[in-house]
Amino acid sequence: MASVLLFSSSLALAQASLAPADSAASGPTTVPKTPVSFDLSAIDKTADPCTDFYAYACGNWRKNNPIPSDQSRWGRFNELAEHNRYLLYLDLKKAADDPKTPLQKQYGDFYAACMNSDLTDQLGAKPIQPALDKIDALSSKSGLAALVAQLQDTYATGVFFGFGSEQDEKDATKQIAGVSQAGLSLPDRDYYLADNPRMAKIREQYKAYAVALFKLAGDNDDKAASEADAVLTIETALAKGSMPRVEMRDPDNVYHPQPLSGLKLLAPDFEWDSFFSGTPAPAISSLNVATPDYFKAFNQVIDQQSLDAIKSYLRFHTINDAASWLSTSFDDLHFGFFSKTLQGQDQQSARWKRCTQLTDRSLGEAVGQDWVKENFPPAAKENMDKLVDALDASLNKDIQNLPWMSPETKKQAEAKLAAFRRKIGYPETWRDYSKLTVKRDDLLGNIQRSDTFETARDLQKIGKPVDEKEWGMTPPTVNAYYDPSNNDINFPAGILQPPFYDVTKDPAVNFGAIGVVIGHEMTHGFDDQGSQYDAKGNVVNWWTPEDKKEFDQRTGCEVNEYGNFEPVPGTKLNGKLTLGENTADNGGIRIAYQALMSVLAEQGKNPTADKQDGYTAQQRFFIAFAQVWCENRTDQVSRVMALTDPHSPGRFRTNGTVQNFDEFGKAFGCKKGQPMMPNDPCVVW
């Protein structure tokens, strides 16, 4: 079961957008501005908060912050991420030039290798030639499994399916092996299967991209066209067998533990013993097959497609997965389709940004150690603990007072809340990278060795107890998450800064921003997915039938509400796909608001008096909440994310939430029946 995020920091694309071939010494030409909490200049007072609160709280910000040419969307998350990335860049540049410790030498060399675009251009496609030679040497389908294991483990190429460790849904103390659907390059199965002009055009553009990529790798025109046809044919067949995203949100749908013999029956034409023996995993006797129908489709591909067609598929993924970090010609070609065509991004990001991001992704807990020393003092962690305590008490009170839940189910919900674990800032124990080899003149090799290192670390967990202290995000990350199998809430140091958290601001602002983030992650434990897990992280039904029916009716209201929101004309959100995040937004703001009211009462303060900047404490709370979600997006990225992102866009995360919370309408003097204070709001928690 994947962790539930606060924010999707990247699209569901095969690779990140690419970097231009600037020199190794190039860096930022300007310093990113430091984000601020509660931005008065962002407010558009010509807008009516009772009609469109997002336009009111974010109107001027959106006017004054157009999407930069190297982005496909730009919001407050991006502002802070750019700021954090710049601070991390300073550390990386310093380590590359003059390392003081072995760890700095390691991540400094990784960054330096990435920045050496002159060498990358000289090498061209040579870094992927060993993998391509392995594919060319494949003489029969019986050798496919061993090759797939090598491509996945040694060459960082994602083909056909995913294999890794996961927590057992029925016994969260155990780490088991699992396989799941993968192997597509377009963002979603619908890009292959939807019968409409827009998707048909994207498929044509995708094929043209594949042809160009094969030609760049040395194919003649006819061979490139034939190989591209094979790629699209195979990926379309895999897409047909793939489970839709909405269905995968139900943990029961992706839990099919069985002996290895069961997987062999689903895909008998793949030599599974050869595959598993070619990985760093321990001996596999049983595993979870998340998507059985997919593996039937996978077997049909092996059975029905020619060896040459399969080799074309493997070649494409090998080239495509590495294209971002090959020479400029590969780099630009990949960017042109995946970032410009699909996302509407005009220009590639500066190389220092991409290399900083890549180093953080590959050596996150190495660079994170130095980053938190400089940017996350102990006092910040202590204050965050106090905020979590306040939200915990508020959610507990909310559960006790729910009018629609029986005492029996409340008791189980309270037990789950009491068992919540919290992780704040950074890990207690840092990951050991001493066995990872980094070379200053081998960018793709560094990436491949890093992926091999992480694959081995993941697979070696199989059969071992769960490490409850492990993190799923790096310290500078601007995000947060709830993990249902661990029943824990996680807040990296990167998000615990303005506009989310500012120690100089009044409680109303901090509870409206980071307080709602905390409440959001807590509520994930009780959304349509999280509510299926008990206090120990096991999938167990702890609801009475009557309470579950009431819960489903209330979440059904949210499905209908958000399913009618249109981010761009003609494209509606999927209310079922976004249900968990919408429930977390709505629950999070309620418990954060109640926590603020309790804190102000303890301090003897009247929330309607003592205005600051012309706003009451209640109004400041809601404005701070909304301004976290100020953003602009291209139409292209809006359409992609409507299909792939479980989060609603910022406009609807704001308006959809406040219109379901009468306290907002009261704070701004709205009248029942106005858009932001409807007569029939959706209320779950």
Side-chain angles (χ1 to χ4, degrees):
M1 179 71 185
S3 299
V4 186
L5 309 180
L6 170 72
F7 175 76
S8 286
S9 56
S10 62
L11 294 178
L13 301 179
Q15 297 289 313
S17 58
L18 317 178
D22 44 9
S23 71
S26 64
T29 55
T30 59
V31 177
K33 67 178 182 180
T34 302
V36 297
S37 297
F38 201 84
D39 185 358
L40 286 169
S41 67
I43 299 172
D44 181 2
K45 293 190 176 180
T46 66
D48 181 358
C50 297
T51 300
D52 185 345
F53 184 55
Y54 186 69
Y56 178 84
C58 292
N60 284 344
W61 188 95
R62 299 187 70 222
K63 294 173 188 174
N64 297 327
N65 290 273
I67 304 170
S69 59
D70 68 341
Q71 305 281 335
S72 57
R73 60 176 173 176
W74 185 250
R76 306 305 303 282
F77 276 83
N78 305 93
E79 273 187 338
L80 181 53
E82 288 282 295
H83 175 70
N84 288 356
R85 188 175 296 121
Y86 173 74
L87 297 177
L88 189 58
Y89 155 79
L90 296 177
D91 289 341
L92 296 177
K93 184 69 166 61
K94 196 182 305 179
D97 294 342
D98 185 22
K100 303 298 184 185
T101 67
L103 205 59
Q104 290 181 5
K105 176 73 164 61
Q106 190 177 37
Y107 66 70
D109 283 351
F110 191 103
Y111 176 77
C114 184
M115 288 297 290
N116 193 349
S117 55
D118 290 340
L119 177 59
T120 302
D121 279 339
Q122 291 171 21
L123 293 173
K126 288 181 180 178
I128 58 172
Q129 196 57 51
L132 295 178
D133 289 344
K134 294 284 186 182
I135 296 168
D136 289 342
L138 181 66
S139 58
S140 69
K141 292 181 182 179
S142 63
L144 177 62
L147 177 59
V148 168
Q150 195 168 20
L151 290 174
Q152 291 187 1
D153 179 56
T154 305
Y155 297 111
T157 300
V159 290
F160 287 129
F161 57 86
F163 169 52
S165 69
E166 60 185 63
Q167 283 177 259
D168 192 318
E169 298 280 15
K170 301 296 184 181
D171 183 357
T173 65
K174 292 168 52 180
Q175 293 274 20
I176 61 173
V179 290
S180 60
Q181 64 190 42
L184 306 181
S185 297
L186 291 175
D188 187 79
R189 67 192 295 275
D190 283 2
Y191 280 79
Y192 300 90
L193 307 179
D195 185 16
N196 62 62
R198 189 174 74 84
M199 290 302 195
K201 182 178 181 181
I202 288 176
R203 288 191 286 271
E204 290 176 4
Q205 293 168 316
Y206 178 49
K207 181 180 175 181
Y209 162 73
V211 169
L213 196 69
F214 279 125
K215 289 172 66 175
L216 194 57
D219 286 0
N220 61 37
D221 290 353
D222 290 342
K223 184 179 180 183
S226 174
E227 292 210 277
D229 281 335
V231 171
L232 196 56
T233 297
I234 288 175
E235 291 191 357
T236 300
L238 296 176
K240 289 178 180 177
S242 297
M243 185 182 295
R245 288 174 185 269
V246 170
E247 293 180 25
M248 293 189 74
R249 297 188 73 255
D250 187 338
D252 286 338
N253 288 344
V254 291
Y255 185 66
H256 307 282
Q258 52 196 277
L260 180 56
S261 58
L263 177 61
K264 292 178 178 179
L265 288 174
L266 291 169
D269 293 322
F270 190 72
E271 300 288 341
W272 288 104
D273 290 334
S274 295
F275 172 79
F276 289 123
S277 64
T279 73
I284 303 294
S285 59
S286 63
L287 74 173
N288 178 40
V289 182
T291 48
D293 287 345
Y294 176 82
F295 287 93
K296 294 177 183 178
F298 168 54
N299 194 73
Q300 287 181 338
V301 165
I302 299 173
D303 177 50
Q304 298 174 5
Q305 297 297 317
S306 69
L307 180 63
D308 283 344
I310 292 172
K311 289 168 72 171
S312 295
Y313 168 85
L314 298 177
R315 275 174 50 81
F316 173 78
H317 278 261
T318 298
I319 304 166
N320 185 58
D321 285 3
S324 301
W325 308 111
L326 297 177
S327 61
T328 302
S329 52
F330 284 98
D331 200 22
D332 289 345
L333 186 62
H334 186 279
F335 172 86
F337 177 72
F338 284 102
S339 295
K340 194 163 190 175
T341 298
L342 286 185
Q343 302 179 43
Q345 182 176 328
D346 288 335
Q347 296 181 2
Q348 295 169 320
S349 297
R351 194 168 184 93
W352 73 267
K353 291 185 182 182
R354 304 256 53 91
C355 290
T356 299
Q357 188 173 9
L358 178 66
T359 309
D360 180 44
R361 189 178 73 198
S362 302
L363 289 154
E365 290 191 21
V367 299
Q369 294 180 46
D370 291 331
W371 192 87
V372 296
K373 290 177 185 176
E374 300 167 0
N375 302 291
F376 192 66
K381 190 168 186 176
E382 294 170 8
N383 289 333
M384 184 66 177
D385 259 321
K386 294 176 183 177
L387 281 168
V388 176
D389 286 340
L391 270 292
D392 187 280
S394 179
L395 179 52
N396 188 63
K397 184 178 180 180
D398 180 70
I399 292 171
Q400 292 173 2
N401 294 332
L402 281 177
W404 56 270
M405 184 180 283
S406 69
E408 181 181 349
T409 305
K410 284 183 180 181
K411 184 178 179 180
Q412 296 296 323
E414 290 166 355
K416 180 169 184 177
L417 176 60
F420 268 21
R421 290 188 292 266
R422 65 182 72 167
K423 298 174 188 170
I424 298 173
Y426 50 87
E428 294 180 23
T429 303
W430 296 103
R431 193 166 297 168
D432 179 9
Y433 294 95
S434 59
K435 294 182 180 179
L436 173 60
T437 299
V438 174
K439 298 180 180 180
R440 201 174 175 92
D441 61 352
D442 188 10
L443 170 57
L444 193 64
N446 290 338
I447 294 171
Q448 292 171 342
R449 285 186 292 273
S450 172
D451 281 3
T452 298
F453 173 84
E454 288 299 328
T455 297
R457 189 185 66 82
D458 175 67
L459 293 177
Q460 287 162 11
K461 293 189 235 176
I462 296 171
K464 295 179 180 178
V466 172
D467 180 2
E468 298 172 351
K469 297 182 178 180
E470 184 177 9
W471 278 68
M473 290 180 177
T474 68
T477 302
V478 184
N479 214 332
Y481 67 99
Y482 168 76
D483 188 332
S485 293
N486 280 323
N487 195 29
D488 62 16
I489 50 178
N490 306 262
F491 306 98
I495 199 173
L496 304 179
Q497 303 176 67
F500 296 92
Y501 177 66
D502 187 343
V503 70
T504 68
K505 293 297 183 182
D506 55 298
V509 171
N510 282 322
F511 274 92
I514 196 63
V516 176
V517 170
I518 298 168
H520 172 102
E521 300 307 338
M522 287 183 164
T523 306
H524 267 313
F526 304 95
D527 66 17
D528 65 305
Q529 286 181 302
S531 62
Q532 298 185 58
Y533 293 77
D534 68 6
K536 295 180 179 180
N538 298 320
V539 176
V540 174
N541 180 22
W542 46 271
W543 296 72
T544 66
E546 295 78 11
D547 289 340
K548 185 62 168 64
K549 181 179 180 181
E550 182 71 28
F551 176 78
D552 289 344
Q553 289 176 344
R554 289 170 177 270
T555 55
C557 178
E558 291 178 331
V559 169
N560 293 331
E561 177 185 26
Y562 285 81
N564 282 306
F565 291 148
E566 283 187 300
V568 290
T571 298
K572 290 186 176 182
L573 299 183
N574 185 330
K576 291 182 178 179
L577 178 63
T578 58
L579 176 57
E581 299 299 333
N582 297 334
T583 301
D585 284 343
N586 281 271
I589 198 170
R590 287 174 175 273
I591 63 174
Y593 182 85
Q594 294 305 325
L596 172 63
M597 293 301 104
S598 296
V599 167
L600 293 179
E602 291 172 3
Q603 296 176 349
K605 294 181 179 179
N606 184 343
T608 62
D610 301 323
K611 290 185 177 181
Q612 292 189 44
D613 301 317
Y615 294 100
T616 66
Q618 294 105 318
Q619 292 171 333
R620 289 172 68 79
F621 170 89
F622 288 111
I623 292 172
F625 157 71
Q627 289 189 344
V628 163
W629 300 111
C630 298
E631 65 174 8
N632 287 302
R633 303 184 180 206
T634 66
D635 285 353
Q636 294 96 318
V637 88
S638 291
R639 292 190 181 97
V640 173
M641 300 191 81
L643 271 180
T644 63
D645 191 359
H647 305 81
S648 298
R651 173 185 298 172
F652 305 119
R653 296 191 77 161
T654 300
N655 287 351
T657 301
V658 300
Q659 73 185 38
N660 288 329
F661 191 26
D662 279 356
E663 295 303 323
F664 165 79
K666 295 174 185 176
F668 282 90
C670 305
K671 298 178 181 178
K672 272 290 185 181
Q674 288 189 281
M676 297 295 99
M677 200 177 185
N679 292 313
D680 52 350
C682 298
V683 180
V684 184
W685 296 99

